[in-house]
Amino acid sequence: MKLIGNILWVLLGGFLTAFSWLILGALWCITIVGIPVGLQCFKFAKLCLWPFGKEIVYGKSTVSALVNVLWLIFGGLEQALVFLIAGCTLCVTIIGIPFGLQFFKFAKLSLMPFGAKVQRG
């Protein structure tokens, strides 16, 4: 079931979410200071291509919290809002609920990407 969900995800919009993370990562990598942020964005772009069967585990770190605050100011809030709206739109239909739940996962990830690790579920 995860395989079918992942294939449908990529065909029906997962490529666009991954592309948005890639664009953010490229913008962050323009500056030397933003390279760690850009690398994190690239990691989550990979996650957006194949999200079913993976979980996000959040750790606790002071450095992660500080970088997450900067992330919110410089693009994370807008990204999370887009994912939240897409998730709500997909949850209107029964067939779209699993895809909407993935968008909610990405909305939370867009708010706090640092200190998060991707694990197989």
Side-chain angles (χ1 to χ4, degrees):
M1 192 65 181
K2 293 176 192 175
L3 179 65
I4 293 170
N6 281 323
I7 291 171
L8 287 173
W9 176 267
V10 169
L11 293 176
L12 299 176
F15 180 75
L16 293 175
T17 58
F19 185 70
S20 68
W21 279 105
L22 283 174
I23 293 295
L24 281 172
L27 289 174
W28 276 100
C29 283
I30 289 172
T31 65
I32 293 173
V33 176
I35 290 175
V37 179
L39 294 176
Q40 189 78 354
C41 291
F42 295 146
K43 180 171 73 171
F44 292 125
K46 183 180 172 185
L47 171 68
C48 284
L49 283 177
W50 214 253
F52 288 93
K54 295 182 181 169
E55 294 179 13
I56 300 168
V57 179
Y58 293 94
K60 296 187 168 87
S61 170
T62 306
V63 175
S64 297
L66 292 174
V67 179
N68 279 330
V69 170
L70 289 174
W71 171 257
L72 277 175
I73 294 169
F74 294 112
L77 196 58
E78 294 85 4
Q79 187 85 358
L81 185 62
V82 169
F83 287 142
L84 184 66
I85 290 169
C88 289
T89 304
L90 284 169
C91 284
V92 171
T93 64
I94 293 174
I95 295 172
I97 290 174
F99 300 103
L101 293 176
Q102 295 302 317
F103 273 111
F104 293 146
K105 177 169 59 174
F106 293 136
K108 183 178 179 185
L109 183 64
S110 294
L111 290 174
M112 301 178 301
F114 297 94
K117 297 196 186 256
V118 179
Q119 294 181 345
R120 291 183 181 234

